[in-house]
Every structure is written in C-alpha cells, then in structure tokens.
Amino acid sequence: MKKVTSLITAFILLVSYQQCLAQNYNRIMGRAIKRAVGKDLRGFQTFSYPTDNFGLITSYVNSVSPENFICDMWNCIGVNSTAGLSSIEWLKMKDFAGVGSGGAITLSQQRKTKLAINVLLPKIYDVIGITGGFSAERTTNITISIGQAYFRNLRKDPMTSYINGLDNSSSLKKAYLNGNLVLIVSDCVIEDLSVSVTVNSEDSAKINAKFGDAATSKIFSDASLSVEVDRSSTGTYTFKVSHPIIFARLAKKQPSAGTLGAENNFDSWKSIVVTEDPSKLKRHN
C-alpha cells in the first residue's frame, strides 16, 4: 500500500512539474510575442512545447479532440511533402494563409537558456529518441536563437473553393456538408528556432548512435516536430527545427452546413474549447 501511495505521489508531482514548465513556457513566450506583434492570444490554445504541425487549416469533426481529427495542415490541402520549401513559402501555405508582418522576439539570455533547458531540449531529445532524456547537468554552452513572430489567418475564399472541389467521399468534405467542420482559422508562428549545445561524453555517445557512420547531419521527426541535428567532432550539436514553430492556434466551427460563412473573417463562427494533446496524433506529411 505504501508503495502504491508513493507511486501516486510521484506521478502527481511529475504532472505538476510538467504543468509548471508548460505555464512558464507559455507565459514567457506569450509576453514576448505580444511585444513583438502587438497582439494578445485571448481565445487561442497555446502549445506547451515546440511543434511545427497542427496549426492553420488543421481540421476536425465537431470538436478538437484526437478521436475527431480529420487532417493536419498541409495534408488538408493535398500536400504530402513540404521538403524544399522556404520559410516564407511554408508560412503562406500556397496562399491559403494571410501572413501578418513579423516582429522580433526579444528575450534575455537567462530566459532563453531557461526555455532551452526546461522545454526545448527535453522535447528535442524525445524526438531524437534519446533514452534517459535530457539532463542539464550533462550540458554546457547552451546558445539559442529564436526568429520573428507572425500571425496567420486563413483566407476563406480559397479554402471554400478548395473544399467545394473535393470528392464527396472526402472526410473534410463530409464534415463541411454536414455543418460539423471545425477549422484552425488562425495561428501564431515563430519563424525559426535553433539550439546549440556542448554535451558530455555520455550524451554525445547517445546522440552519435542515432546518426549512423558517416553522417554529420540528420533529420528526426515525430508527429508534432521535425528537427535537423548537425554535429561536430567536439561533442557540440546544433538542433534546428525544420519549419516555423506554431506557438498558438485558434479553433472555430463553421456557422452552417455547406458554407464557411458570408463575412470575410471568422468573427461569427463559434469558438471551440480545445482539449486535444497533439502528441497523440500522427503527422501526415
């Protein structure tokens, strides 16, 4: 009984710690983004870790939840690979996205290091598949670079034309015709992100084992993030996120069946409370 109680206590403490880290990440980045672009994130779902997926155009049936997931971002508009796209091409999403002017994110080195240690590097190690996870004690000389922040809004007319052109057997088209379509209509993205670190021999051996013999650069992916890792012979690694990072997103439900509404924006659409954990979903591209 004591062992069970101890396990429950440890689990509660772990969850509380993870929630605290997520809140710190959201609070620090949210304030920096508001300063950068002059817009707050009221009504947006903020992600508790970096992700380059599940932003604008991601679609669901009725509610934002794993069981009601239809498609993610590019897959929703029929694009199966984004390899080779520049950052601005990725941001514009074949002109389905209206992209606002970017603003520089300014954080002190102390705050950037805190984010790297508590949020970014643990997530990156998880993507790479490093057993045992990230440890700050085994890491030195952390340098982090954060790009500009942008807000994107979905352009309604191109989206309407695209959905109307889909076959009626499409899950996206069915939800649209039945009046059940939930769309991510706006998101906030960070143009680029990279973290350079020097690690001890233990972590260096773990990371090198993931590369193969001759490679000095390799891309690792999971459902929510793709990371390019560059290594040197000195135990120094640079982790670069392959696409702009999605920090927050706004989900809304279409006003009626077979239409995305008459107005030019999404103000009349019903706001949706988000309960989804994107890490449970699968990347389609």
Side-chain angles (χ1 to χ4, degrees):
M1 183 66 181
K2 288 183 179 180
K3 185 176 181 180
V4 173
T5 303
S6 298
L7 288 173
I8 292 173
T9 301
F11 175 76
I12 292 172
L13 290 173
L14 176 61
V15 171
S16 298
Y17 176 68
Q18 290 174 333
Q19 288 176 339
C20 180
L21 293 182
Q23 290 169 359
N24 286 339
Y25 173 69
N26 292 341
R27 183 172 63 250
I28 292 171
M29 291 301 297
R31 288 174 178 172
I33 288 169
K34 185 176 181 180
R35 288 196 302 268
V37 296
K39 181 179 175 66
D40 64 29
L41 300 173
R42 194 170 303 150
F44 282 68
Q45 175 204 12
T46 55
F47 289 103
S48 57
Y49 54 83
T51 175
D52 61 8
N53 202 8
F54 310 118
L56 201 71
I57 308 179
T58 298
S59 301
Y60 303 83
V61 178
N62 283 321
S63 65
V64 178
S65 60
E67 59 271 19
N68 290 335
F69 173 71
I70 298 175
C71 55
D72 50 326
M73 292 206 346
W74 291 92
N75 180 259
C76 290
I77 53 175
V79 177
N80 294 318
S81 175
T82 58
L85 292 183
S86 66
S87 288
I88 192 61
E89 289 172 328
W90 194 95
L91 285 169
K92 288 184 176 180
M93 294 189 72
K94 299 181 69 175
D95 287 331
F96 282 88
V99 184
S101 298
I105 296 176
T106 57
L107 291 172
S108 67
Q109 186 59 44
Q110 182 180 10
R111 283 186 176 271
K112 287 194 289 187
T113 301
K114 184 177 181 180
L115 287 176
I117 290 174
N118 292 333
V119 180
L120 305 179
L121 286 169
K123 173 60 179 176
I124 288 169
Y125 269 49
D126 184 55
V127 172
I128 296 171
I130 303 298
T131 56
F134 169 79
S135 172
E137 289 74 22
R138 301 193 297 267
T139 305
T140 60
N141 300 324
I142 297 173
T143 303
I144 177 172
S145 174
I146 302 175
Q148 294 189 100
Y150 296 84
F151 272 89
R152 301 190 300 176
N153 290 314
L154 178 60
R155 288 177 169 153
K156 186 176 293 181
D157 288 347
M159 194 67 202
T160 300
S161 297
Y162 175 76
I163 295 176
N164 282 330
L166 293 173
D167 188 89
N168 286 349
S169 63
S170 162
S171 297
L172 182 59
K173 183 69 169 287
K174 287 179 181 178
Y176 170 77
L177 293 175
N178 292 331
N180 298 325
L181 180 61
V182 173
L183 278 170
I184 302 301
V185 300
S186 184
D187 64 8
C188 172
V189 299
I190 301 165
E191 187 175 20
D192 52 62
L193 174 70
S194 66
V195 184
S196 294
V197 298
T198 301
V199 299
N200 70 1
S201 57
E202 179 183 349
D203 271 13
S204 183
K206 290 180 180 179
I207 297 172
N208 288 341
K210 301 292 181 177
F211 270 83
D213 295 334
T216 58
S217 181
K218 188 172 181 179
I219 294 177
F220 300 85
S221 297
D222 69 1
S224 62
L225 192 65
S226 180
V227 178
E228 181 178 357
V229 185
D230 294 329
R231 66 174 174 175
S232 71
S233 58
T234 59
T236 298
Y237 302 84
T238 299
F239 307 102
K240 302 175 184 176
V241 176
S242 299
H243 299 298
I245 293 293
I246 297 154
F247 176 72
R249 63 183 191 169
L250 180 65
K252 290 198 171 186
K253 186 176 180 180
Q254 70 181 119
S256 57
T259 178
L260 296 185
E263 79 281 4
N264 292 325
N265 52 41
F266 299 91
D267 291 344
S268 66
W269 285 36
K270 179 183 178 182
S271 296
I272 298 296
V273 177
V274 177
T275 59
E276 177 209 35
D277 176 3
S279 65
K280 298 178 181 177
L281 301 178
K282 294 182 179 180
R283 177 187 296 271
H284 286 273
N285 63 326

